[in-house]
Amino acid sequence: MKSYFSVTAAALSAMMMAAAMVGCGDDGGSSSSDGNNMVGAGFADGGSDVAEKDLPYGATILERSREEDENLDIKIAFDKRFFIEDEDNPDYSEIYKIHDYVKSINDKDGDLLKSLYYPGYLADVTKSKGYENEDDYVDSFFGSIEEALGEGFEIDYIDVSDCILGSDDASASYINTCNKALADISGVDILDKVTSRKIVEIGGYSTYKQGENSYQLTNHVNIPYLCLYTIDGQVYIM
């Protein structure tokens, strides 16, 4: 399968493993309309003997938008349990990284897109793909998305519809690919500085506008996957 969202070779390989990943799929996209949490989604009366932390992805969806957070231009929905450790002092750095990735696509902002990757990572991929420089690679990437969605598109809703932590063979293979690439760039010791590895899916109810019309994103492109690494306290796309 071809993904119009995948810049890296690792992300391209992730498209191939989509069927093997275990998650809630579109169920993870169920979101509240007022930014509140949905706890126990999927149960008739909201109650269950299952602890909240053990519920599958999509059970506690949180929406954030410009109204709540000036760092966001695009409304985004995600299961807070997979991204926020301390609700009293929430850290949205991973969510901002996903948001900025999509924003760079909307704006065709190559500088923003390049800034999201670990230093040297995109340059290595650019070389492996036979492009002369990163700008050529990024321009080709933006062009392929515009070809798929049409000129003047705007992704206006991001549904982080799954978060996979490498617990199955397919996602573990994806993470191993990212680990190898990172070690090739900075040496194997860099892996000791990685404190978090997550594969996120942008699918479900993600939408984009084209003129006066709105469309479901995954009806027109394959579901995009991103790998998020936290290294020395900073979040990067891999």
Side-chain angles (χ1 to χ4, degrees):
M1 281 185 286
K2 179 180 180 182
S3 168
Y4 292 101
F5 276 70
S6 299
V7 175
T8 68
L12 284 169
S13 67
M15 299 302 103
M16 303 297 293
M17 71 181 193
M21 290 183 172
V22 178
C24 288
D26 284 352
D27 291 341
S30 301
S31 58
S32 63
S33 59
D34 59 1
N36 294 324
N37 304 323
M38 290 179 60
V39 180
F43 296 94
D45 57 3
S48 172
D49 292 334
V50 180
E52 179 181 301
K53 67 181 179 63
D54 296 324
L55 293 171
Y57 187 94
T60 58
I61 291 296
L62 176 66
E63 276 189 345
R64 300 283 292 178
S65 66
R66 185 75 176 180
E67 285 73 17
E68 296 88 25
D69 192 331
E70 63 181 10
N71 295 297
L72 301 173
D73 291 327
I74 310 167
K75 184 176 285 190
I76 187 167
F78 56 94
D79 190 324
K80 61 175 185 170
R81 295 168 303 145
F82 287 71
F83 298 98
I84 298 174
E85 294 183 2
D86 183 355
E87 289 198 51
D88 294 328
N89 298 285
D91 179 1
Y92 293 104
S93 55
E94 292 174 321
I95 297 304
Y96 292 155
K97 197 67 60 170
I98 299 168
H99 168 274
D100 288 351
Y101 179 78
V102 175
K103 178 176 169 58
S104 76
I105 294 169
N106 276 348
D107 298 342
K108 296 183 182 178
D109 188 338
D111 289 337
L112 175 57
L113 179 63
K114 289 184 286 185
S115 73
L116 305 178
Y117 288 85
Y118 186 79
Y121 190 83
L122 192 56
D124 187 65
V125 173
T126 296
K127 182 179 178 180
S128 71
K129 290 295 182 180
Y131 285 83
E132 185 173 343
N133 54 59
E134 292 180 24
D135 287 337
D136 288 347
Y137 192 15
V138 168
D139 287 346
S140 175
F141 170 56
F142 289 153
S144 67
I145 298 173
E146 186 172 70
E147 181 182 351
L149 302 183
E151 186 176 352
F153 74 87
E154 178 188 355
I155 300 169
D156 59 346
Y157 189 84
I158 306 168
D159 181 4
V160 184
S161 50
D162 208 347
C163 180
I164 304 139
L165 304 179
S167 57
D168 60 89
D169 290 343
S171 55
S173 176
Y174 182 10
I175 287 175
N176 286 338
T177 299
C178 293
N179 285 344
K180 183 180 184 304
L182 185 60
D184 288 344
I185 295 166
S186 298
V188 69
D189 289 344
I190 191 66
L191 298 179
D192 294 333
K193 299 181 180 181
V194 180
T195 55
S196 175
R197 300 170 174 86
K198 297 176 182 178
I199 300 170
V200 296
E201 173 187 287
I202 303 173
Y205 296 108
S206 297
T207 58
Y208 73 96
K209 294 189 296 186
Q210 182 61 263
E212 298 296 322
N213 300 314
S214 182
Y215 303 94
Q216 187 168 337
L217 184 66
T218 54
N219 285 344
H220 299 271
V221 297
N222 291 321
I223 294 175
Y225 293 92
L226 300 176
C227 204
L228 300 179
Y229 271 47
T230 302
I231 304 171
D232 283 335
Q234 299 295 316
V235 180
Y236 300 96
I237 290 176
M238 302 288 289

